[in-house]
Amino acid sequence: MALRFFNTYSREIEEFELRNPTARPVRLYTCGPTVYSRAHIGNFRAYIFEDLLQRQLELRGYKVHRVMNITDVEDKTIRGAREAGVPLQTFTEQFKAAFFEDAHTLRIKRADEYPAATDQRYLDRMIEMISGLISKGLAYQADDKSVYFRINKFPDYGKLAHFDLTQLQSTGRVKHDEYDKEHIGDFALWKAWDEADGDVKWNSPWGLGRPGWHIECSAMSTALLGDQVDIHCGGVDNIFPHHEAEIAQSEGVTGKKFVRYWLHCAHLLVDGQKMAKSLGNFYTVPDILAKDYTGRELRYALLRVHYRVPLNFTWEGMNEARESLARIDEWLARLRKVAEKANAEPARNASHSDAGGRPTANTQRPATAFEDALDDDLNISAALGFLFESIRETNRAMDQNEMDEASAHAWLEWWKRINTVLDLEAETDVAIPHEVAQLAEERENVRREKNWKRSDELRDRISALGWQVRDTKDGSKLTRGAGTE
Ligand SMILES: [Zn+2]
């Protein structure tokens, strides 16, 4: 069965038409973070959905060329830098680093490219595109010296969002600084410099200024992926105006269909409410780690609900994630024990398939239900349902000594395959180097003696070897990667 996705453009489930995985890489563009503050867990829900999409494509044999942009110049980054009294780049650099750190914590695969909007190569491309739009009559410079897209000249404007332009006209408020636009819905391609921009300015045929947010994505995607993108993702809040504007700009310049499949991830709620700093329910990845949860647990909690369904984040949900992962860990440990019984007695009643052709505990044929569920518009809840059903069945078989060594091996192989998509295995199952383990043990000992100085020295030595030690209620835990504290 072919892969199928819900396309926001058509509002229908469509088959993925690139049927031959070896024909060429899938061109995937995902709108990345705006680096004016630390990304919140709602942002990461979308990035985890995109990670799942990439991994499922790869499981199915596709090569994926993924681009994720970094928005390092727009209104919020400029305001933030001004308020902090530092240059724009100094201001954005810290949040860029934080984004990569959090993505690593959540085991999100790295994109092939992370273009930044302030890179001269892309600024040149933005200017080139804006010039092209002006020469086609699709853009104009207004009296305020800014350049705007003329949406009345692009009949498809509003099709992605299923948005009626006349509505925009009748309900739109005319802000005083927008008086010189021809249409209230015309959006800025190039914003003329004003005092509030400070040092943030580039030369252009229209005078000093900076790009609008939307043109950044059109420029970076066409520069790196060509005129046409196979799959473009983002959160539902990106649909309008951001993605609508991307279509207008890109298609306005190239005359070709910009994106084949538009996939959008639903909102994340916290305790049933929209996340907001004022409500005290605004969480970043470090906020969750500070409550003694791991990146793996948060990954599971953000992954387990279908991407088109709003996800309600709760601490109870985090505990459920922890329990689910513990079940997987225990199951794997049991399977490994059975698989390692080199000269074990043959299991009783070993059978390899049931009447319905569904995999049984002892089947050696890898089960495909998990992968099939993900082919169906990334139906992760069905896929996980199948995983836990398999865990129940195989545990029962192991309880009754009905699992032979070969079957245990087959299940472990199956897990290895589906875990390329899930990436949920416990860190400790990644072999801890002997030296690191020894240092950690020594550290445990000196901590019992309350020798904190020596404990800190050992932590630094462990960290220098690329491992992080975290002290929790259940003792210290080792994880790969740099520390977040
Ligand atoms: Zn974008």
Side-chain angles (χ1 to χ4, degrees), residues 447-475:
R447 282 176 72 80
R448 254 176 250 129
E449 295 156 11
K450 303 204 186 313
N451 184 348
W452 309 120
K453 189 169 170 285
R454 179 76 185 134
S455 161
D456 286 347
E457 282 168 16
L458 288 163
R459 176 202 288 270
D460 291 345
R461 282 182 62 191
I462 292 168
S463 163
L465 292 167
W467 287 72
Q468 182 197 347
V469 57
R470 278 204 318 127
D471 300 308
T472 71
K473 289 189 289 283
D474 314 318

Side-chain angles (χ1 to χ4, degrees), residues 4-8 10-14 262-264 307-308 377:
R4 299 176 297 290
F5 301 120
F6 181 85
N7 188 348
T8 306
S10 65
R11 303 277 152 112
E12 276 173 12
I13 298 271
E14 295 178 22
W262 284 98
L263 272 60
H264 291 101
Y307 75 94
R308 284 194 290 118
D377 196 31

Side-chain angles (χ1 to χ4, degrees), residues 29 31-32 69 213 217 232 242-243 246:
Y29 188 87
C31 289
N69 69 295
W213 173 37
C217 279
H232 193 314
H242 184 53
H243 289 163
E246 280 189 41

Side-chain angles (χ1 to χ4, degrees), residues 125-190:
R125 173 71 184 150
M126 292 171 212
I127 289 170
E128 182 188 23
M129 288 184 87
I130 297 168
S131 301
L133 291 169
I134 291 176
S135 66
K136 289 182 179 183
L138 285 164
Y140 60 93
Q141 185 168 27
D143 293 340
D144 67 353
K145 300 290 175 227
S146 293
V147 180
Y148 296 95
F149 190 95
R150 186 177 271 137
I151 60 169
N152 277 336
K153 282 281 163 86
F154 190 78
D156 282 350
Y157 193 78
K159 281 211 173 147
L160 177 71
H162 295 221
F163 203 89
D164 182 1
L165 279 186
T166 54
Q167 247 183 3
L168 191 63
Q169 251 162 339
S170 61
T171 61
R173 294 168 293 134
V174 179
K175 283 193 231 148
H176 71 91
D177 60 344
E178 289 173 335
Y179 65 92
D180 31 17
K181 291 199 288 187
E182 292 176 2
H183 185 291
I184 182 72
D186 287 356
F187 55 87
L189 298 164
W190 187 261

